[in-house]
Amino acid sequence: MQPRQGHRAGSDAVFLAAAVPSDAKGRVLDAGAGVGVAGLCLLARIPSVTVTAVEIDPALCRLAEANAARNGCAESFKTVNADVTWPAKKLAATGLVREGYDQVMANPPFHEEGAVRAAPDRRKATAHVMRAGDLAVWIRFLASMTAPKGHATLIYPAEHLGALLRQLEGRFGEVNIFPLFPKAHAPATRIVLQGRKGSRAAPKLLPGLVLHDSDGRYTDAAEAVLREGEALKL
């Protein structure tokens, strides 16, 4: 379930969840969780983990909780109504545990403030627009929540790869870069990045995944992720 108008859940959340390692254990944090799509996709594939979904919009938190109940995941899924840009003390008051999550994942807003006209719907604007300087705040939040040696997984527009790598530097190493190509021989439009906290290993550029055949249909490999719960191999 999701609002009738405004931001719509899409395939980005599904690919994000598919990139979390298949041997993931313990606690997972989903930042900017919306109605819970990524967390619930992850629980469908790895039911042994628990998911904490952080979302700024209380109405979306309620929908995420309802979605978890509808999918039989209520005991493994909880929401925290919070803004990732809040100060650490205020975040701690919500029950979030610093360095308390084995895996963190996020699909942050990606349009720079002022670069595009803000959507008239408040929820859609919040989901899509990153205020100046907030990418650094998002990465700092993810790093603060990730347990030592834990992983952070993000999905983001390919055009912002450089900015994202600069923010990850010094916080996460072993960064695997997994491009998502709309069609064969076309430039990537999205990238999935996954890094290990505290590692100093160099980044790796992986072969990635082609999403659509020439007729516009999803490729078999993309369908396996979207429909059958297949993991991405990062």
Side-chain angles (χ1 to χ4, degrees):
M1 296 188 297
Q2 56 186 319
R4 291 182 182 274
Q5 297 181 341
H7 174 66
R8 311 301 293 171
S11 60
D12 281 4
V14 185
F15 287 116
L16 173 65
V20 173
S22 295
D23 60 355
K25 299 176 183 178
R27 298 194 289 182
V28 178
L29 184 76
D30 180 14
V35 297
V37 175
L40 295 176
C41 285
L42 181 62
L43 283 168
R45 182 166 63 89
I46 314 176
S48 60
V49 301
T50 60
V51 173
T52 298
V54 180
E55 171 53 46
I56 190 174
D57 188 326
L60 297 187
C61 284
R62 292 191 291 271
L63 279 174
E65 291 169 355
N67 286 333
R70 285 163 63 94
N71 284 275
C73 300
E75 293 185 1
S76 302
F77 183 99
K78 72 172 185 178
T79 63
V80 173
N81 181 205
D83 184 343
V84 302
T85 67
W86 283 350
K89 187 174 181 179
K90 189 173 182 180
L91 288 168
T94 68
L96 291 172
V97 180
R98 185 177 178 85
E99 293 194 328
Y101 304 91
D102 307 284
Q103 304 284 336
V104 300
M105 59 180 177
N107 177 15
F110 52 82
H111 289 306
E112 295 180 3
E113 189 175 34
V116 295
R117 187 172 67 178
D121 182 270
R122 177 184 57 81
R123 289 192 182 116
K124 189 170 185 178
T126 300
H128 286 178
V129 176
M130 179 75 77
R131 293 172 299 185
D134 271 2
L135 179 59
V137 179
W138 272 75
I139 300 303
R140 187 162 61 244
F141 169 81
L142 297 178
S144 71
M145 292 295 145
T146 308
K149 307 298 184 183
H151 288 95
T153 306
L154 300 96
I155 187 166
Y156 217 58
E159 64 195 83
H160 299 305
L161 174 59
L164 198 49
L165 287 174
R166 286 192 294 272
Q167 295 300 332
L168 293 172
E169 187 176 3
R171 297 185 174 101
F172 296 95
E174 295 179 53
V175 177
N176 289 326
I177 306 164
F178 189 93
L180 298 176
F181 303 98
K183 292 184 178 181
H185 311 300
T189 53
R190 292 286 189 274
I191 45 171
V192 180
L193 289 91
Q194 185 175 93
R196 183 184 291 272
K197 185 173 180 177
S199 172
R200 296 180 179 274
K204 292 181 181 178
L205 180 60
L206 303 178
L209 177 69
V210 176
L211 300 182
H212 297 97
D213 288 322
S214 57
D215 60 5
R217 296 184 180 183
Y218 280 114
T219 61
D220 290 343
E223 282 283 354
V225 175
L226 294 170
R227 299 288 186 184
E228 300 167 23
E230 188 75 20
L232 293 177
K233 304 298 190 295
L234 271 69

